């Protein structure tokens, strides 16, 4: 039998998907666990979750529920493209760096056209450059743009930036997809409505992340241009993303959206990231690699310092964005966070003494 070591169950700040399930999502699962209902999404929970999304986004969008973000992004992009099309993305985007080629796989070959970026954001200029670089038959035809809100680098596109991007998309006849694995964090950060950040800013398809927001599993794919959703249910089924007991994928959304937990959870995570930034500011030997705008903070520090922090039992990743990444979630405990900050300070001081 595998022993479960309680020390290993302590909070870590390596990723926002280390956290468990928030009470609102958990309760909705429990509430859904009564009686028999029709399978494959033809049930009252799925209808209610879809309606909750339409109400939240103030529009009659098409709503689908899938298991994870890789599938949500890949299938959404595949529905925007033919196999000979290209999808413009940023070099630090999850679709490019963390989906094992799934966008290309599910689209039967639509190529990601990657724009270099210093901060993980895609700019209208780089969209224009990639959309106009080659117009001959030998190059994939640019057809869609994907952006991540909030970004993999913990940044948030302003509404002005989003509109500039969607305007550029319109000029070149490109559809706009948003990877919203942390959409809620961006909403909390900008204090704007989901509608403003999505369809009112020109987004055609949004993948709204539930997992990092406090659910066990699940992302919602929202089509604001309903014509783009054609046969999306078949895509989901073929890709193994159609849950037969769909109510357990959709009910947690009812809990999250109807209670407002989606936004509270994100705001808490963002506040923790800001608190962390204020705690580490000014510690000699440490530097924030960029502004903290959502629920992520990136630290630049020497290898020696990072090794000492790890030796004290703290986990974190350095392969994302080139610096040490710290992520905060719906359940981040401020006392645990302060303990981490104290360890960081002590490790920094030790490093300077050597
Ligand atoms: C976590 C994440 C996803 C989803 O990843 P899965 O592991 O496939 O659920 C998608 N995009 C971004 C930016 C993410 O951080």
């Amino acid at each position: 039998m595998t022993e479960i070591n309680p020390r290993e169950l302590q909070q870590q700040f390596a990723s926002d998907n280390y956290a468990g399930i928030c009470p609102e999502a958990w309760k909705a699962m429990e509430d859904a666990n009564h009686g028999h209902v029709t399978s494959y999404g033809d049930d009252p929970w799925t209808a209610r979750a879809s309606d909750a999304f339409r109400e939240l986004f103030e529009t009659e969008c098409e709503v689908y529920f899938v298991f994870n973000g890789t599938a949500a992004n890949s299938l959404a992009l595949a529905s925007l493209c033919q196999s000979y099309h290209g999808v413009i993305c940023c070099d630090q985007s999850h679709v490019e760096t963390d989906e094992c080629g799934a966008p290309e796989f599910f689209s039967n070959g639509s190529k990601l056209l990657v724009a270099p970026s210093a901060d993980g954001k895609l700019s209208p200029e780089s969209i224009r450059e990639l959309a106009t670089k080659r117009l001959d038959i030998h190059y994939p035809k640019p057809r869609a743009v994907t952006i991540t809100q909030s970004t993999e680098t913990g940044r948030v596109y302003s509404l002005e930036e989003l509109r500039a991007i969607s305007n550029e998309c319109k000029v070149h006849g490109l559809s706009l997809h948003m990877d919203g694995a942390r959409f809620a964090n961006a909403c909390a950060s900008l204090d704007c409505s989901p509608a403003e950040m999505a369809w009112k800013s020109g987004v055609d398809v949004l993948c709204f992340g539930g997992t990092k927001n406090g659910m066990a599993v699940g992302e919602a794919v929202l089509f604001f241009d309903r014509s783009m959703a054609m046969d999306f249910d078949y895509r989901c089924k073929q890709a193994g993303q159609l849950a037969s007991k769909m109510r357990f994928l959709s009910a947690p959304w009812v809990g999250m959206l109807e209670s407002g937990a989606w936004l509270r959870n994100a705001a808490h995570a963002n506040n923790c990231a800001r608190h962390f930034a204020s705690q580490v500011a000014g510690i000699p030997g440490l530097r924030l690699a960029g502004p903290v705008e959502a629920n992520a903070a990136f630290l630049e520090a020497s290898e020696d310092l990072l090794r000492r922090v790890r030796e004290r039992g703290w986990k974190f990743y350095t392969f994302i964005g080139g610096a040490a990444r710290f992520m905060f979630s719906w359940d981040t405990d401020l006392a645990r966070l302060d303990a981490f900050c104290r360890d960081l300070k002590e490790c920094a001081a030790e490093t300077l003494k050597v």
Side-chain angles (χ1 to χ4, degrees), residues 37-43 243-247:
V37 299
T38 317
S39 49
Y40 297 110
D42 190 13
D43 68 85
S244 70
K245 289 191 182 175
M246 181 68 92
R247 64 174 144 156

Side-chain angles (χ1 to χ4, degrees), residues 132-201:
T132 57
K133 178 166 96 163
R134 291 271 299 271
L135 300 170
D136 59 271
I137 192 97
H138 304 285
Y139 193 72
K141 188 176 182 186
R143 184 67 191 88
V145 167
T146 175
I147 54 175
T148 309
Q149 177 79 321
S150 54
T151 70
E152 292 77 0
T153 50
R155 305 293 301 274
V156 175
Y157 292 94
S158 69
L159 293 181
E160 294 70 37
E161 288 175 314
L162 291 178
R163 290 198 188 111
I165 285 174
S166 66
N167 286 339
E168 197 63 38
C169 288
K170 286 196 187 81
V171 170
H172 306 287
L174 305 166
S175 308
L176 183 57
H177 164 262
M178 181 179 275
D179 173 350
R182 299 187 183 90
F183 184 85
N185 301 91
C187 279
S189 173
L190 292 185
D191 194 22
C192 69
S193 75
E196 280 177 298
M197 214 163 68
W199 61 274
K200 288 185 181 173
S201 292

Side-chain angles (χ1 to χ4, degrees), residues 17 68-71 73 94 99 148 152 179 181-182 211-212 219:
N17 60 16
N68 61 28
T70 299
N73 285 336
H94 199 267
E99 297 191 354
T148 309
E152 292 77 0
D179 173 350
R182 299 187 183 90
T211 311
K212 287 167 184 152
E219 321 276 302

Side-chain angles (χ1 to χ4, degrees), residues 226-343:
R226 300 176 76 183
S227 68
M228 292 176 183
M230 198 175 71
D231 292 344
F232 195 71
D233 43 354
Y234 288 89
R235 266 187 209 287
C236 290
K237 174 69 196 181
Q238 188 181 48
Q241 288 287 324
L242 178 64
S244 70
K245 289 191 182 175
M246 181 68 92
R247 64 174 144 156
F248 297 108
L249 215 51
S250 56
W253 284 113
V254 172
M256 300 291 284
L257 302 185
E258 290 185 0
S259 70
W262 72 278
L263 192 57
R264 274 196 305 280
N265 287 354
H268 173 76
N270 291 359
N271 288 341
C272 291
R274 272 199 301 275
H275 177 73
F276 174 73
S278 71
Q279 291 296 299
V280 299
I283 299 180
L286 282 179
R287 204 175 71 83
L288 278 174
V292 171
E293 296 174 344
N295 66 327
F298 289 79
L299 283 186
E300 281 168 1
S302 66
E303 279 302 319
D304 181 32
L305 203 168
L306 294 180
R307 183 182 50 76
R308 286 169 195 270
V309 175
R310 282 203 173 95
E311 278 171 6
R312 290 189 182 215
W314 298 102
K315 294 182 183 172
F316 53 89
Y317 300 114
T318 50
F319 68 89
I320 304 153
R325 186 189 75 159
F326 301 95
M327 304 290 311
F328 306 95
S329 54
W330 68 271
D331 71 340
T332 296
D333 172 23
L334 279 176
R336 177 79 176 152
L337 178 52
D338 284 339
F340 176 49
C341 293
R342 278 196 299 278
D343 272 352

